[in-house]
Every structure is written in C-alpha cells, then in structure tokens.
Amino acid sequence: MSSRKFLSALGAGAMVLGGLGAVGAPAASAAPASPASVVRPLISCTPENVDGYTGRTSCTNLGTVSAYRVRVTCRRTNGTLFTVYGVWRVAGYSVATCSTTGAATVWSVGTDY
C-alpha cells in the first residue's frame, strides 16, 4: 500500500472513530441550566420579633413556593442557642415561641420556604 493511500485510510478511520465519540456524547441542550438563568420566586416575607419571646412570619406572592414557616433562633439565659420552627403555612402567620416562662428570648427570626 502506498503511503498516500495509507494516510488516506488512516484519516478516514480517524473520522469514523471521531464520529462514534460524538454519537455517545450528550447534547449541549441536556446540560443543566446555570444558576444565573434560574427564575427565582417573587416571594415577599416579613419575619418579626413579636414580644421578645415569640417570632412570626407572613409571606405573600408565593409564586412557585408551596409553603413557608418561621425559623426562630432562641437564646437561653446561660447563652446557648437553639432553633424552633413554626408550622408550614400557605397564608397567614407562622408562629414559634422560644419560652413561655422567660427562660429563653428571641435571638433572630427568619423564614424557611
């Protein structure tokens, strides 16, 4: 076989093998969306400290969010922190209390959804 025919056959073989690799590769459109292109819900929540012992939150414009709840971080009199959660809600207030006896106060109030 002449060197010209050999190189031609080698190139054709490489094209066939290269084509096989492309067949098994996933399509570019199957890649997950980048975080910048993910649409975030327009949810609006108002977490608040009610009286020093209780936290609550209420949300509007839920969009794709199905429910929300209050997350209250509490501080005991000895300085340790713990978290309490309100019930999941779709409307109205979600409420959680740190202590009814004054043994713990609200440290921070947030919302889970």
Side-chain angles (χ1 to χ4, degrees):
M1 179 183 275
S2 73
S3 62
R4 175 173 260 170
K5 287 183 180 178
F6 176 75
L7 290 175
S8 178
L10 183 62
M15 285 176 46
V16 168
L17 289 175
L20 289 177
V23 170
S29 63
S34 67
S37 67
V38 175
V39 176
R40 302 281 184 223
L42 299 174
I43 190 169
S44 175
C45 299
T46 55
E48 53 190 335
N49 182 340
V50 177
D51 59 6
Y53 303 101
T54 301
R56 71 181 181 182
T57 193
S58 178
C59 299
T60 58
N61 299 327
L62 295 181
T64 59
V65 174
S66 60
Y68 57 88
R69 68 178 177 180
V70 69
R71 178 186 66 252
V72 181
T73 302
C74 305
R75 184 173 186 206
R76 291 185 181 99
T77 54
N78 67 5
T80 59
L81 301 176
F82 65 97
T83 304
V84 293
Y85 299 91
V87 296
W88 288 100
R89 302 292 306 251
V90 295
Y93 286 106
S94 175
V95 180
T97 300
C98 294
S99 172
T100 57
T101 64
T105 58
V106 173
W107 181 262
S108 68
V109 182
T111 307
D112 289 344
Y113 52 87

